[in-house]
Amino acid sequence: MTPTTPAPNPAPDAGRPGGTSGPVGPGGPADAATAPDPGLYGPGSVTWQCHGDPMMWIAGVRALYLQALHPRAVRGVMENSDFRADAWGRLIRTADFVGTLTYGTTAAAERAGARVRKIHRMLSATDPATGEPFPVDDPELLLWVHCAQIDSFLHVLRRSGFPLTPAQADRYVDENRINARLVGLDPAAVPADTAQLAAYFTQVRPLLAAGDDARAVDAFLRSPPTHALLVPGRNLLWRPLADLAYGSLPPYAHQLYGQPAPDPRSTTRRLRLTGLLLRAIPAGLRWQLPPGHILKAMRRMGPGSRPSPYTLRTSAAILDRPGRA
């Protein structure tokens, strides 16, 4: 299962989406042995700026809702995961993985990817329709999970007011073929821009359904298990965010889940308001939360590496050149 339009071949100097990064001396780029390691993305990438935004948490929940609509993908999770018993731990581990890939050193990102690939190679599940076993690292399933995640990240960020030009959105999709490679996909078979991403969803749409597994994920996301004393806080804080993530799904997803689709204009207003409120919290305070990858990256790369939407606004002419995954 590949995108309708083939992705372009990576540029010969591919390696970091933002091109060269790090100190530059009189004679050219600093020696690789002394320059700080920007990791697989680097401060010059769109991804570096986007993944520091607090709306990424809501985008992550939307991705879970969307991913659950692929019967085999969600069955792989249900048979190999204890997410219902360790809800918050799973969310933190997912955030840690994304943070490591985005802001960690090259070695740390490659190790994280190798660890995930090794785990997936050992797992299998049973097809809910045929009863036949299938490997969890089936490229079709990996591609679905990747595309649902990237689509959710990009959709929530843009709809909540994060400033991205169309060219920057295309570059974000292209850059994250690095992420796809680390989980075991061939980057050339992964959508490289927003048009290819949309074409992929059109192609995969007939395979989607909301069976018992998807409805279990829906129920879990709306009311994740927590200590009795924390239930009021969960209902006050978590449930509105989960409802907002659900409301931001595409219309076909609402139809499959069998629940009324909220007014899209109301959902957009709520996303923008939530974005304003969360972004009003000082970034330095937000980034103190575990796992703290952004602050570690800034200490490694210097203050000029601070993720910010303003970097995208002021550097659009530079960042909008063709992405290189």
Side-chain angles (χ1 to χ4, degrees), residues 11-306:
D13 60 346
R16 291 183 175 80
T20 57
S21 183
V24 177
D31 185 270
T34 59
D37 177 10
L40 295 178
Y41 289 91
S45 68
V46 176
T47 300
W48 185 283
Q49 312 306 327
C50 289
H51 285 185
D53 192 82
M55 291 298 286
M56 285 286 290
W57 287 97
I58 294 177
V61 176
R62 181 191 189 268
L64 295 176
Y65 271 118
L66 193 55
Q67 289 164 351
L69 291 176
H70 194 299
R72 295 217 309 172
V74 70
R75 172 50 48 179
V77 173
M78 299 296 278
E79 290 190 12
N80 293 286
S81 171
D82 61 347
F83 76 93
R84 281 175 286 194
D86 186 24
W88 308 114
R90 181 175 177 84
L91 288 173
I92 290 296
R93 287 191 295 274
T94 300
D96 181 48
F97 181 70
V98 174
T100 299
L101 265 55
T102 307
Y103 300 109
T105 63
T106 301
E110 294 288 355
R111 283 196 303 270
R115 191 160 53 244
V116 166
R117 294 193 302 273
K118 179 180 179 181
I119 292 172
H120 285 173
R121 279 196 300 269
M122 298 186 294
L123 301 178
S124 63
T126 305
D127 189 301
T130 66
E132 296 179 352
F134 64 89
V136 168
D137 63 353
D138 182 335
E140 290 189 6
L141 304 184
L142 295 178
L143 182 61
W144 165 253
V145 170
H146 170 82
C147 290
Q149 176 175 287
I150 297 306
D151 178 77
S152 293
F153 290 174
L154 189 58
H155 180 89
V156 169
L157 286 173
R158 299 182 81 182
R159 198 170 173 185
S160 66
F162 193 93
L164 282 175
T165 67
Q168 289 168 339
D170 283 340
R171 181 165 175 171
Y172 177 81
V173 176
D174 187 27
E175 288 174 357
N176 279 278
R177 290 192 291 160
I178 293 174
N179 180 325
R181 173 182 67 80
L182 289 177
V183 299
L185 285 165
D186 175 4
V190 177
D193 57 32
T194 53
Q196 291 182 19
L197 188 61
Y200 167 79
F201 281 104
T202 299
Q203 178 184 340
V204 78
R205 169 69 181 85
L207 301 177
L208 306 182
D212 292 340
D213 290 341
R215 298 185 191 284
V217 170
D218 177 30
F220 165 78
L221 289 175
R222 293 182 186 276
S223 297
T226 189
H227 192 281
L229 294 177
L230 300 178
V231 168
R234 180 197 65 189
N235 294 341
L236 178 65
L237 299 175
W238 173 263
R239 186 165 293 172
L241 297 182
D243 288 344
L244 185 55
Y246 176 83
S248 69
L249 289 168
Y252 69 78
H254 297 136
Q255 182 180 9
L256 290 174
Y257 274 114
Q259 299 176 16
D263 176 26
R265 292 171 297 182
S266 174
T267 298
T268 299
R269 286 194 297 268
R270 291 176 59 203
L271 283 167
R272 286 186 172 271
L273 177 59
T274 303
L276 285 172
L277 293 174
L278 292 180
R279 290 163 188 146
I281 302 172
L285 180 61
R286 289 190 274 107
W287 295 339
Q288 294 287 346
L289 296 173
H293 292 295
I294 295 176
L295 293 180
K296 294 175 185 175
M298 289 174 59
R299 287 194 290 269
R300 185 176 79 247
M301 299 299 299
S305 63
R306 178 186 179 90

